[in-house]
Amino acid sequence: MVLLASSRVSGLTRRLANKRTLATPASLPVKDCTSITPPYPRLLRTLDEVRNVLPKGTKLTLAEKILYAHLRNPEESLGGGGKVRGERYLKLRPDRVAMQDASAQMALLQFMTCRLPSCAVPASIHCDHLIQAQTGAESDLTRSIEANKEVFDFLQSAAAKYGIEFWKPGSGIIHQIVLENYAAPGLLMLGTDSHTPNAGGLGMLAIGVGGADAVDALTDTPWELKAPLVTGVKLTGQLQGWATPKDLILHLAGKLTVRGGTGRIIEYFGPGVPAQSCTGLATIANMGAEVGATTSTFPYSDNMRQYLHATGRGPVADAADEAAKQGYLSADEGAEYDEVIEINLSELEPHLNGPFTPDLATPLSSFSSFLNENKYPTTLSSALIGSCTNSSYEDMSRVASIAEQAKAAGLKSKVPFLVTPGSELIRATTERDGLQGTLESVGATVLANACGPCIGQWKRDEKKGEDNAILTSFNRNFKARNDGNLKTMNFLASPEIVTAMAFSGDLNFNPVTDSIPTPNGPFKFTPPSGDRLPPTGYTPGDLSYAPSPSPAPEPDTNIAISPSSTRLEILEPFGSNFPSGGGELPKMTCLMRVKGKCTTDHISAAGAWLKYKGHLSNISENTLMTAVNDEGGQINVARDADGSEDTIPKTMQKYQARSEPWMLVVDENYGEGSAREHAALQPRFYGCAMIVARSFARIHETNLKKQGILPLWFVNKSDYSKISAHDKVTTIGLEQVMNSTSTLPIVKLRVEKPSGEVEEIETRHTLSVDQIEWLRAGSALNWIGEQARKAGKA
């Protein structure tokens, strides 16, 4: 039996002292691209089959081409005529899976239950979420490796056993690593993080999913997706002055809102697209998650080609060039979109979005008035740049140009100024080229190559419990997300605006028009400038963080999980709510009615709870702990049948202890935000059987189905208030859905009040044929395991 030496991860700490000396000028060598080049010949053949199935002359968008080229059986998914977008379920064959360390734990624990010897597609694990920002890169990384050694050992041992590429702590953020190493035009990739669409900057479809969806790809089970609608965004003109790709997506988020992209792929086209850098497009695609989009994509461009060559993937670029000649990497001329939004980049100005939601967009020219009208703080308390959204070489070179101007004027940052490099490649290259030194010379603290404050991994001692405002170049700004303080207001902006404002410390300051007083007179910034790619090429930095490409599985590897662990726990399969294989759900008690915005952060908090991602029993203690109860308006309060009040998790535990099935009523866009499948696993663990919503976010609705919870949508949204805590709820018509004898998507609910009053409410389901089987089996994993055993694979 092969045992992984625990020193593999902990040994990283011994190399940290030498890490900074490894950044020597060099161009990246050409990589072996065998496993990262999309199978273009097969994809083109499948696309030919698709055109034979669809009506003659059908014009396809780029998004449709990539999706349909990955169909397992075009006739099954597209045959028979009729509308496809928004109606048909597509059975797809993804090319690759990427997992970050927090979500990989549960994904791998679920994969292990399938008892398969290896992964069916190339996969990677990225250690980025469990590194807490506190004092600086080296000390933070050392401390976090030691604190999370148990989890890193587990992930590394599972990676070795199943042949998964393992990127060690310090290598960088998953999305930046994927863009630099795995993304390719026309690829279809799943990632266990909601910002997986970042890879769309290279003209592919990268889709954020829960771990159970990732298991579909890892086990060669058809991955199912309802064919998205396609929103076309036509870009004209050219970005001017301080405007950046980040401002484009901040502006678009204001137009679409956090729900406007749900069930849609955003496809950009028009003369303004080719001028954007590959990493700029990645920023745009990254924040498409903030409007609920399935993913975002762009036609193949010369800037993508240049980026592939610069990152050692010339063979991928050459293959993409040939695929583009055959029409695969752009939309058909005349293809129609379900909606078209036109944005003139020449008229775009910088935006700041927030607080507390990423779609509250304010142009920079109106920001001061906006703050004062709402009586928000106008003193900046911290400035943070980097993260997966904005940590490219281009971003860092442009903010360095601002820092150089400030330094020449004798200015230093007036607030804590934190910089998060996206990867070791970026850190090493910016260090070599002097950009990091420039930022440090004006007061910046460079953090580890990890997610850090963006996801709440920030040990911030100041401003606890106080109203305060921060500026970040991050992608998400829900309450308490960054520092655990419900009163911290995070305004999202470009790294250029964040950096410039750090030298003023005043949120009323407009760097485009205003000056900063200095002993030598007023100082005014000129617009930033920078290089899209490093002039002398990238330097890789510490290569020990990176895995060997395409490792062979080591089946005798012992997966490291201690029976006494509080961080990791072997999963037990959920039982089925249909022991006879069909029928209606058992009578359920309504536990509570959740009011207003309820993101996956509300359902399963991150921050300090990240350490329990691999231990379902422990992390379930945070379930819905920041949710608002509509009956009383209190946070984290629920009432048991005897009238006693307790926290929401404790109340769920009481239902679990007496084996009483329960359900929830929730509001609009329930489960928006992260692709956090724990937000589905935890209620299921406590016995939730059904959730009825005014509307669901896409990823979360799928995650609920995967775990055997029935999600239903109110036909009339006003019926939300007709179900209250302690009502007894039964389904009517679900049996016909389960038996495929119903042609309507309607399931009625019989609601019996404690007073004896009874009424019926109409809801609709979105279950596909396969999803019905997940529900019947108790979870998608149960069903996958059943199929594997029948096929003799497990």
Side-chain angles (χ1 to χ4, degrees):
M1 178 175 290
V2 178
L3 291 175
L4 284 188
S6 61
S7 61
R8 286 192 184 182
V9 172
S10 59
L12 288 171
T13 58
R14 295 193 294 272
R15 292 194 292 274
L16 284 171
N18 300 322
K19 180 164 91 70
R20 300 297 178 183
T21 66
L22 297 175
T24 55
S27 296
L28 293 185
V30 176
K31 302 172 184 175
D32 179 355
C33 295
T34 305
S35 68
I36 60 176
T37 303
Y40 291 124
R42 190 197 80 204
L43 299 176
L44 287 164
R45 287 195 301 273
T46 303
L47 199 54
D48 285 341
E49 292 180 40
V50 166
R51 292 193 185 279
N52 288 330
V53 171
L54 294 174
K56 187 175 181 180
T58 298
K59 305 293 186 182
L60 299 177
T61 64
L62 170 61
E64 289 174 305
K65 286 185 181 182
I66 299 175
L67 278 180
Y68 297 170
H70 287 86
L71 286 170
R72 289 175 173 264
N73 185 328
E75 179 64 42
E76 179 185 356
S77 291
L78 304 176
K83 187 179 178 183
V84 175
R85 294 184 202 167
E87 300 291 338
R88 299 289 188 92
Y89 276 93
L90 308 177
K91 293 187 177 183
L92 301 162
R93 179 188 286 112
D95 298 304
R96 173 173 287 278
V97 170
M99 299 171 278
Q100 40 94 335
D101 51 358
S103 57
Q105 296 171 60
M106 194 56 68
L108 290 171
L109 288 167
Q110 292 177 91
F111 177 72
M112 288 161 55
T113 67
C114 299
R115 297 181 174 84
L116 296 177
S118 62
C119 300
V121 297
S124 56
I125 297 170
H126 304 264
C127 297
D128 60 357
H129 273 56
L130 298 180
I131 300 166
Q132 186 185 62
Q134 187 171 345
T135 57
E138 294 188 13
S139 58
D140 291 348
L141 188 55
T142 300
R143 184 176 53 256
S144 296
I145 288 173
E146 292 173 354
N148 297 287
K149 179 181 178 300
E150 177 184 4
V151 172
F152 293 144
D153 283 351
F154 162 67
L155 294 175
Q156 192 169 21
S157 62
K161 186 178 185 72
Y162 298 119
I164 300 170
E165 295 187 15
F166 179 75
W167 291 81
K168 297 175 183 176
S171 58
I173 304 172
I174 177 173
H175 310 305
Q176 186 71 26
I177 295 288
V178 165
L179 193 70
E180 294 168 355
N181 293 275
Y182 301 128
L187 197 78
L188 176 62
M189 185 187 83
L190 304 184
T192 60
D193 189 280
S194 60
H195 291 109
T196 297
N198 187 85
L202 260 172
M204 60 180 281
L205 295 184
I207 301 176
V209 297
D213 269 10
V215 171
D216 284 350
L218 295 175
T219 58
D220 196 30
T221 301
W223 180 64
E224 196 170 69
L225 176 72
K226 179 174 274 192
L229 302 176
V230 185
T231 293
V233 178
K234 183 178 181 179
L235 302 183
T236 62
Q238 295 182 343
L239 293 171
Q240 305 290 323
W242 288 77
T244 68
K246 179 65 166 282
D247 298 302
L248 166 60
I249 189 60
L250 292 174
H251 170 70
L252 186 62
K255 281 181 170 290
L256 291 176
T257 78
V258 292
R259 297 191 295 272
T262 303
R264 294 171 177 262
I265 291 176
I266 301 177
E267 180 173 318
Y268 294 80
F269 68 101
V273 173
Q276 308 308 312
S277 68
C278 175
T279 53
L281 297 179
T283 294
I284 296 168
N286 179 294
M287 276 199 69
E290 269 45 78
V291 299
T294 302
T295 191
S296 302
T297 195
F298 310 83
Y300 184 52
S301 68
D302 184 58
N303 282 325
M304 295 181 191
R305 180 184 299 109
Q306 290 181 31
Y307 185 76
L308 286 168
H309 281 286
T311 50
R313 292 174 288 170
V316 176
D318 295 340
D321 288 342
E322 292 303 313
K325 290 176 184 177
Q326 299 181 63
Y328 177 54
L329 300 179
S330 59
D332 289 335
E333 187 174 350
E336 294 185 0
Y337 298 93
D338 296 284
E339 177 186 16
V340 174
I341 299 170
E342 185 166 340
I343 298 175
N344 184 345
L345 299 178
S346 300
E347 298 173 354
L348 188 67
E349 68 169 297
H351 279 63
L352 297 97
N353 287 28
F356 306 135
T357 185
D359 59 350
L360 181 55
T362 305
L364 176 61
S365 59
S366 306
F367 189 60
S368 178
S369 299
F370 168 77
L371 293 175
N372 292 305
E373 287 169 5
N374 289 282
K375 294 182 171 55
Y376 290 146
T378 57
T379 299
L380 181 63
S381 65
S382 285
L384 302 94
I385 64 171
S387 86
C388 66
T389 318
N390 280 108
S391 58
S392 67
Y393 187 88
E394 180 181 21
D395 291 323
M396 294 301 146
S397 66
R398 284 173 62 87
V399 298
S401 77
I402 296 171
E404 287 281 10
Q405 294 180 53
K407 183 178 179 180
L411 297 174
K412 282 203 168 188
S413 176
K414 290 189 176 181
V415 298
F417 181 27
L418 306 181
V419 179
T420 306
S423 68
E424 172 63 4
L425 182 77
I426 295 299
R427 187 213 61 78
T429 306
T430 56
E431 180 190 57
R432 180 201 67 193
D433 292 351
L435 307 181
Q436 179 175 312
T438 296
L439 293 172
E440 289 175 328
S441 72
V442 295
T445 297
V446 177
L447 303 176
N449 309 325
C451 300
C454 183
I455 62 159
Q457 285 284 43
W458 182 18
K459 191 177 185 300
R460 188 188 191 200
D461 295 325
E462 65 269 25
K463 303 296 182 182
K464 287 186 176 180
E466 298 177 29
D467 286 323
N468 74 105
I470 64 175
L471 288 180
T472 78
S473 67
F474 303 161
N475 45 35
R476 199 163 279 162
N477 59 352
F478 302 138
K479 283 186 177 182
R481 177 177 173 86
N482 303 113
D483 62 359
N485 181 1
L486 287 165
K487 295 184 176 182
T488 294
M489 301 180 190
N490 177 4
F491 295 96
L492 308 173
S494 70
E496 292 90 336
I497 292 297
V498 175
T499 300
M501 284 195 168
F503 294 103
S504 168
D506 183 358
L507 292 176
N508 289 307
F509 173 68
N510 182 339
V512 177
T513 59
D514 298 345
S515 299
I516 299 175
T518 75
N520 298 317
F523 163 75
K524 184 175 182 294
F525 286 107
T526 59
S529 61
D531 297 300
R532 290 181 167 179
L533 297 170
T536 58
Y538 288 105
T539 187
D542 188 345
L543 292 173
S544 68
Y545 291 137
S548 299
S550 305
E554 300 174 17
D556 292 332
T557 300
N558 180 48
I559 293 182
I561 301 179
S562 167
S564 61
S565 175
T566 61
R567 300 284 302 270
L568 298 162
E569 178 182 50
I570 297 293
L571 287 179
E572 295 295 331
F574 292 131
S576 172
N577 284 313
F578 303 92
S580 63
E584 305 291 338
L585 280 173
K587 182 179 289 188
M588 298 158 283
T589 303
C590 178
L591 186 133
M592 65 179 291
R593 194 167 62 227
V594 177
K595 179 181 179 180
K597 182 186 280 286
C598 193
T599 71
T600 50
D601 280 29
H602 292 82
I603 308 168
S604 176
W609 290 93
L610 284 172
K611 62 185 176 183
Y612 297 125
K613 282 284 191 176
H615 199 291
L616 183 56
S617 300
N618 284 345
I619 198 169
S620 294
E621 296 275 355
N622 76 10
T623 308
L624 285 166
M625 61 185 290
T626 56
V628 179
N629 192 327
D630 190 47
E631 299 175 79
Q634 295 164 293
I635 295 174
N636 196 22
V637 172
R639 294 166 186 83
D640 204 354
D642 62 4
S644 61
E645 288 188 356
D646 211 330
T647 66
I648 296 172
K650 293 296 183 186
T651 305
M652 291 177 177
Q653 290 168 13
K654 292 174 184 177
Y655 279 83
Q656 181 190 40
R658 56 183 184 249
S659 300
E660 181 176 351
W662 55 272
M663 54 83 68
L664 287 173
V665 175
V666 297
D667 216 323
E668 293 277 12
N669 208 29
Y670 181 73
E672 71 171 278
S674 300
R676 199 168 295 164
E677 70 177 332
H678 292 76
L681 279 162
Q682 292 169 215
R684 180 71 164 101
F685 173 71
Y686 281 145
C688 181
M690 180 175 74
I691 298 179
V692 189
R694 280 176 164 159
S695 65
F696 289 99
R698 176 193 65 85
I699 298 177
H700 186 62
E701 184 188 20
T702 301
N703 285 344
L704 292 172
K705 295 174 182 176
K706 286 280 184 179
Q707 302 307 333
I709 295 177
L710 174 64
L712 295 175
W713 301 56
F714 286 109
V715 171
N716 297 308
K717 292 185 178 183
S718 60
D719 288 344
Y720 160 86
S721 59
K722 292 183 179 179
I723 306 177
S724 304
H726 311 142
D727 289 353
K728 301 296 183 181
V729 182
T730 51
T731 58
I732 301 173
L734 182 60
E735 181 174 12
Q736 286 70 38
V737 173
M738 300 287 286
N739 296 335
S740 301
T741 58
S742 173
T743 59
L744 297 175
I746 298 298
V747 174
K748 290 184 179 181
L749 301 181
R750 183 180 187 273
V751 181
E752 183 178 345
K753 301 286 182 181
S755 64
E757 178 188 353
V758 174
E759 65 177 303
E760 288 188 3
I761 294 173
E762 278 197 343
T763 67
R764 63 181 177 87
H765 75 85
T766 59
L767 296 167
S768 69
V769 172
D770 283 356
Q771 290 167 357
I772 289 171
E773 295 306 318
W774 305 345
L775 200 64
R776 195 191 315 274
S779 73
L781 281 176
N782 290 353
W783 184 72
I784 290 172
E786 289 174 7
Q787 302 309 303
R789 286 187 287 276
K790 288 178 182 177
K793 295 180 181 179

